[in-house]
Amino acid sequence: MSSRVSTRTPVDEYLAALSKSLAGPRRRKADLLAEARDHLTDATEAFEADGLDREQAEREAVADFGELSEVAPGYRAELAVSQSRRTAMLLFLVLIAQPIVWQDGVWSWNQEPSQPNVLNDFLQTLVRGIGMVAIAGAVLAVIAAGVGMRYPLVRDHVSRVTALFALASAAVISAIGVGMAATSPHPPDVPAFGIVGSFVVLPLLLVGLQAGRVLRLARA
């Protein structure tokens, strides 16, 4: 009966455990792990220069780097910020395309009505206002998750605030979109709800799912 001997070094084992404890955008996670490996490699070489053998030097480097329970939360916060930036960008892209969806006369169900509908007119005005606020908020969130990270107050709250803002925007705009289709002066039909579902509700549902992921990362 043969037994496999692990060839993983103390640094490899530590990084594997760190990787397992992290979730989030793959590219950013890979960058963080690469930075950790570089730091551990430099520390190992420094301990070797002091006379330790390679394995003991790696163990000292790992111990000096910190326990996973102490290190992982900082990495999770970084991943949450990265995910919040993606969520804000997605919200911006979805909303910036909405004027095309709602442009008068593009679809059969939003042609110029012969008799105005007060509720539909109100919803159109409301969604324009909320949409502009949501677009501006998404832009601010992207900026906050970038240059804003130099400020402790922004760094501590940007992920959660962005996620909650994206969730609220997605829910409200989706509801208004469905309401607009339902209150159209033209008889609402399957194509009307299909267009709203495909170009409004589904993209904003994706935004909501991404925002939920940010909240999970922020709580981790």
Side-chain angles (χ1 to χ4, degrees):
M1 182 177 179
S2 62
S3 60
R4 292 186 177 180
V5 178
S6 175
T7 59
R8 292 202 303 185
T9 66
V11 167
D12 291 334
E13 292 178 354
Y14 182 87
L15 291 174
L18 179 60
S19 177
K20 189 176 180 180
S21 69
L22 301 178
R26 293 182 180 179
R27 181 174 296 181
R28 183 55 180 153
K29 177 180 174 179
D31 289 342
L32 291 174
L33 290 173
E35 292 172 6
R37 179 176 289 278
D38 290 342
H39 180 91
L40 289 167
T41 298
D42 291 342
T44 296
E45 291 173 353
F47 281 116
E48 280 187 303
D50 289 339
L52 298 180
D53 60 44
R54 182 70 183 188
E55 181 175 356
Q56 186 59 39
E58 287 199 9
R59 293 190 184 282
E60 290 294 332
V62 166
D64 189 61
F65 196 72
E67 296 288 337
L68 281 177
S69 59
E70 300 171 350
V71 173
Y75 282 90
R76 293 190 189 110
E78 287 286 335
L79 290 170
V81 170
S82 181
Q83 185 68 44
S84 69
R85 186 185 301 113
R86 288 188 175 193
T87 301
M89 281 297 301
L90 180 59
L91 177 63
F92 173 80
L93 293 174
V94 170
L95 293 180
I96 206 70
Q98 293 307 302
I100 299 173
V101 179
W102 298 107
Q103 185 177 352
D104 291 338
V106 172
W107 315 104
S108 61
W109 51 274
N110 69 350
Q111 300 287 336
E112 187 67 28
S114 56
Q115 294 183 347
N117 183 301
V118 176
L119 178 56
N120 190 267
D121 290 344
F122 169 75
L123 291 176
Q124 289 192 42
T125 301
L126 182 63
V127 79
R128 290 191 189 100
I130 292 177
M132 291 179 63
V133 171
I135 289 173
V139 172
L140 288 175
V142 172
I143 296 173
V147 297
M149 294 303 292
R150 68 186 66 177
Y151 304 104
L153 182 63
V154 175
R155 185 172 59 248
D156 292 342
H157 300 287
V158 64
S159 299
R160 190 178 299 276
V161 171
T162 298
L164 293 174
F165 179 80
L167 279 172
S169 299
V172 171
I173 294 173
S174 294
I176 294 175
V178 173
M180 288 174 64
T183 60
S184 171
H186 304 281
D189 51 18
V190 173
F193 289 105
I195 291 167
V196 172
S198 299
F199 293 98
V200 181
V201 177
L202 285 180
L204 288 173
L205 177 61
L206 180 58
V207 171
L209 292 174
Q210 293 296 312
R213 192 176 185 186
V214 175
L215 287 177
R216 289 193 297 273
L217 288 171
R219 287 197 299 263

